[in-house]
Amino acid sequence: MSKAVRKTIEEAKETGNPELDLQDKQITSLEDIPGLLSMENITRLTLTHNKLISVPPAIANLINLEILNLFNNWLEELPTTISSLNKLRILNVGMNRLDALPRGFGSFPELEVLDITYNNISEETLPGNFFMLESLRALYMGDNDFEIISSDIKNFKNLQILVLRDNDLVMLPKEVGELNRLRELHIQGNRLEVIPPEVGSLDLLGTKSCLRLENNPWVPMIADQLLLGPSHVMDMLRNESYKFMYQRHLQTGSQPPPKNLEAKNRKISRKSLNPNFVK
């Protein structure tokens, strides 16, 4: 443990500061920091830009934790105990090497913001209760391996921001149209050819809204309207000719465009760790 880390821990204990910032400290293991995992008063723990490979089960001891930021580490897994952090509101595990989320992950009762951007997670490696996170307001799932999103996404009634950019999505569920509070939808950089007409009922064009659609192999009807702007696409989703075309597209069952495996394999999250780097 470096002197800087030791000093930060000692100062936090002396002052009772509930916010602990340990970003960019070359930390490889939380268990090497004496006393950290018994600091029950901590409400915010920042561990970004370190070299953590795992999070110990004892993270559950931080019973008052509200914000946990693990962005840009080397995490390959999360403990099942993490979902027992009943006060957690914000969890950022973006820019890691996660292939899956642990069993029971959907048990957070207060989680509002979840960021799993830039990992290797797919619909097959989400836990069974993932879509029980009904308190979510923002969900960032960009740069992963999702090909489909479950219709259970309709359970996220409070969701305002949904980011699915740069995955392998071939279809968006019509249940996205039931997310009445959604104000941002980012689906650029996928393999999408059509959009469910139900999405046309959402308010995605206001001054505080955002709809990103670019870099998909859209059918000509969508591609032509997108050249004029997202508002034209939203108008089109509500007309009968598009709804007819959409149903025909589903019935034909055509093969989606192929994955860009070359780009996926270049991802840092795909590369094996050099054990010499972990000290």
Side-chain angles (χ1 to χ4, degrees):
M1 180 174 64
S2 70
K3 291 181 179 179
V5 172
R6 183 178 292 108
K7 181 180 179 182
T8 301
I9 296 293
E10 289 175 354
E11 288 180 351
K13 288 181 177 179
E14 289 174 5
T15 63
N17 185 0
E19 299 187 358
L20 196 56
D21 188 347
L22 294 171
Q23 65 174 316
D24 199 14
K25 300 285 195 251
Q26 301 295 306
I27 299 170
T28 59
S29 172
L30 297 184
E31 294 170 309
D32 291 342
I33 306 176
L36 172 61
L37 296 173
S38 61
M39 297 175 70
E40 294 185 1
N41 68 306
I42 295 295
T43 60
R44 180 175 191 144
L45 179 56
T46 302
L47 291 158
T48 57
H49 309 293
N50 281 294
K51 298 180 179 179
L52 294 169
I53 294 176
S54 63
V55 175
I59 192 74
N61 295 339
L62 305 181
I63 57 176
N64 288 300
L65 203 60
E66 297 179 14
I67 301 173
L68 177 58
N69 195 338
L70 293 158
F71 179 81
N72 192 16
N73 276 275
W74 296 346
L75 295 177
E76 297 180 334
E77 62 179 354
L78 296 172
T80 56
T81 58
I82 196 169
S83 59
S84 64
L85 294 171
N86 291 332
K87 295 185 179 181
L88 201 66
R89 295 184 297 105
I90 299 174
L91 175 60
N92 188 339
V93 291
M95 198 75 178
N96 278 285
R97 297 164 183 267
L98 298 171
D99 293 321
L101 295 178
R103 178 172 49 84
F105 187 85
S107 300
F108 293 104
E110 304 291 340
L111 196 65
E112 297 179 11
V113 179
L114 174 61
D115 192 335
I116 60 172
T117 303
Y118 207 91
N119 281 284
N120 304 314
I121 300 168
S122 72
E123 63 274 10
E124 296 176 352
T125 59
L126 288 178
N129 69 342
F130 179 78
F131 292 97
M132 293 177 65
L133 293 168
E134 296 182 9
S135 55
L136 277 184
R137 293 187 298 105
L139 177 57
Y140 301 90
M141 300 183 10
D143 275 300
N144 277 283
D145 296 334
F146 292 97
E147 289 192 47
I148 61 172
I149 299 295
S150 170
S151 60
D152 288 337
I153 197 168
K154 65 185 178 184
N155 296 336
F156 294 160
K157 298 296 185 184
N158 293 300
L159 203 63
Q160 299 172 31
I161 300 172
L162 177 58
V163 179
L164 298 166
R165 62 169 178 77
D166 299 313
N167 275 280
D168 284 314
L169 289 177
V170 296
M171 185 61 66
L172 203 62
K174 62 182 175 54
E175 287 78 11
V176 169
E178 297 182 32
L179 303 177
N180 295 325
R181 297 188 178 183
L182 200 66
R183 295 296 178 267
E184 290 192 28
L185 178 60
H186 302 249
I187 52 175
Q188 68 270 34
N190 280 285
R191 298 155 64 202
L192 295 167
E193 297 178 283
V194 293
I195 305 171
E198 290 81 2
V199 172
S201 67
L202 299 176
D203 180 10
L204 297 173
L205 300 175
T207 55
K208 295 183 179 180
S209 300
C210 182
L211 176 61
R212 297 288 300 275
L213 302 169
E214 65 270 21
N215 298 327
N216 279 287
W218 298 118
V219 295
M221 188 178 287
I222 295 179
D224 291 346
Q225 294 302 311
L226 186 55
L227 291 174
L228 302 174
S231 63
H232 291 264
V233 175
M234 290 294 283
D235 287 341
M236 180 200 65
L237 295 181
R238 295 189 284 266
N239 70 49
E240 293 303 318
S241 60
Y242 176 77
K243 293 176 183 178
F244 177 77
M245 186 281 299
Y246 178 78
Q247 290 301 325
R248 288 290 301 272
H249 182 86
L250 296 186
Q251 290 167 3
T252 58
S254 59
Q255 288 295 315
K259 296 181 183 180
N260 187 348
L261 293 177
E262 182 180 350
K264 289 285 183 181
N265 290 333
R266 287 199 301 267
K267 287 178 65 177
I268 296 173
S269 58
R270 288 281 204 274
K271 301 184 188 306
S272 299
L273 286 177
N274 184 336
N276 294 324
F277 292 159
V278 184
K279 298 180 181 179

